[in-house]
Amino acid sequence: MLDTRINAARRLAARADARLTGAIADFFLAEEARLDEQTRLTLGRVLSGVVQGIELEIRRHAARMLTGRGAEARAEQLLTGHDDVVRRLSRAGLLRDRLLIDELLAQVRCDLIAARLAPSAATPEQASLLVRLAEVDDGVVAAAARALLSAETRRRAAAEQGGVVTGILPAERHHQLVWWVAAAIREAQVAAGGEDGGVDRAIVEAAQRNLAAHDEGQRPEAAAVRLAAAIDARPHEVGELLIETLGDRRLLLFIAVLGRAVDLDFEGARTIVLEPEGDRLWLALRAAGLDRAAIARIALALADADPRRDIEAFADDLDAIVAVSAEAARSALAPLTLHHDLRLAIAALTREAMR
């Protein structure tokens, strides 16, 4: 009994120390790095939903396999003996993964900004941009537009239901998370009933099945890139198309069209669009050949939808922005045109050098 009390006291002391460490880190966090409450809550819901979606699929399929092999008791244990996988992965520090959080945070911010964009003052008989594109005679454009509509609808429905979320991660991030979840499920099963080769095989097969079914091409981001490529806007068409995408609240298509216009991949273009300062975004718009009026309209639309942006500072800088030539802007953006994995490696080296 005494040993139990001592061990409990030590655990409480460790928790108190961890809370203090967290409080200190939170207190000294720079204001510009702090998440607003809505973004924080939405990110937490999406992160939990993604983990729980993978967990549910692995548990269900592994339990079916165990039942088919006559191990009904272990199957029942797998389905009903839920440990908190999200909390376990969080305690292990795995959910602090930079690339995972970067992807989910970018998705959350895109969704929040898109929802706040002011719709264009279209006439009542005019359908939205995507609906019109889905009905054009060009079959490639129409199919790509329908795919984006479908992908956005699926993600929106998952968000509104507030439950499990599936298929929103790029392949590498999804692969990583599936095996983390599988390991957490197995750990709980070993703790409950000891090691069992049959359970292990079922969990592995269920994880592999989940990976085989994952298609990152069905993500709205991928669909937006395909649509931008299908439209293939000419240089003189890019400005009006970008403005129309914002008026239709299609931020992902805005990002994809901009990226194609200045030779950036989707992730690179999304990064600069979401930056509250906007400096690299204005360079990208100049590199795409946009004039003063088009840049001002885009800046105003984004500022209205993203409270982090300073529209007054933009107004003060507008003359200097327009004075930058398209060639100079493209040169300044050259590092962003590097391969995505090379950019990540360069960023990792830079972070290490700054420590």
Side-chain angles (χ1 to χ4, degrees), residues 71-288:
E72 289 85 358
R74 294 311 299 267
E76 183 67 19
Q77 185 182 65
L78 192 64
L79 285 174
T80 59
H82 281 216
D83 190 25
D84 192 334
V85 171
V86 175
R87 183 175 299 177
R88 179 67 186 97
L89 296 181
S90 182
R91 284 204 316 268
L94 297 178
L95 297 185
R96 293 175 178 265
D97 181 79
R98 292 182 64 89
L99 297 180
L100 174 64
I101 296 301
D102 182 43
E103 175 62 35
L104 293 180
L105 182 57
Q107 289 187 22
V108 165
R109 283 185 165 146
C110 280
D111 289 346
L112 291 176
I113 292 172
R116 298 181 191 130
L117 284 168
S120 59
T123 56
E125 64 274 9
Q126 185 179 28
S128 76
L129 171 64
L130 271 193
V131 172
R132 283 183 279 126
L133 289 174
E135 296 174 350
V136 297
D137 293 334
D138 188 322
V140 176
V141 172
R146 288 194 295 270
L148 179 54
L149 273 170
S150 177
E152 289 190 337
T153 299
R154 287 195 302 271
R155 182 172 294 179
R156 190 178 306 112
E160 290 172 353
Q161 291 167 4
V164 298
V165 184
T166 59
I168 70 171
L169 289 174
E172 291 184 6
R173 304 284 76 74
H174 182 80
H175 182 277
Q176 173 180 265
L177 192 55
V178 164
W179 290 117
W180 287 347
V181 171
I185 293 173
R186 180 188 183 275
E187 179 184 72
Q189 291 302 300
V190 170
E195 295 195 20
D196 185 323
V199 173
D200 288 348
R201 286 191 297 274
I203 290 173
V204 168
E205 289 180 34
Q208 291 174 329
R209 178 178 182 271
N210 181 286
L211 292 172
H214 181 71
D215 182 3
E216 66 177 347
Q218 298 301 311
R219 301 168 63 236
E221 293 81 2
V225 170
R226 291 196 298 271
L227 179 55
I231 295 171
D232 193 22
R234 301 296 88 192
H236 68 278
E237 299 170 333
V238 170
E240 191 58 38
L241 179 58
L242 288 173
I243 291 170
E244 193 167 7
T245 59
L246 292 183
D248 200 36
R249 297 202 249 187
R250 307 292 177 179
L251 187 62
L252 297 184
L253 184 55
F254 174 91
I255 293 168
V257 170
L258 177 63
R260 182 172 178 82
V262 296
D263 196 28
L264 299 180
D265 60 27
F266 185 88
E267 290 76 14
R270 183 176 62 182
T271 295
I272 65 174
V273 168
L274 293 179
E275 288 172 347
E277 298 82 7
D279 294 352
R280 294 197 293 181
L281 174 57
W282 317 140
L283 283 174
L285 295 177
R286 286 297 296 138

Side-chain angles (χ1 to χ4, degrees), residues 324-343:
V324 177
S325 68
E327 293 75 15
R330 284 185 177 274
S331 177
L333 290 174
L336 276 174
T337 64
L338 295 172
H339 188 279
H340 176 66
D341 291 339
L342 180 56
R343 293 202 312 270

Side-chain angles (χ1 to χ4, degrees), residues 42-64:
T42 306
L43 177 61
R45 176 185 57 76
V46 171
L47 179 58
S48 295
V50 169
V51 173
Q52 290 165 1
I54 294 172
E55 177 192 0
L56 184 61
E57 289 190 9
I58 291 177
R59 286 187 185 277
R60 283 178 173 174
H61 189 67
R64 281 201 302 272

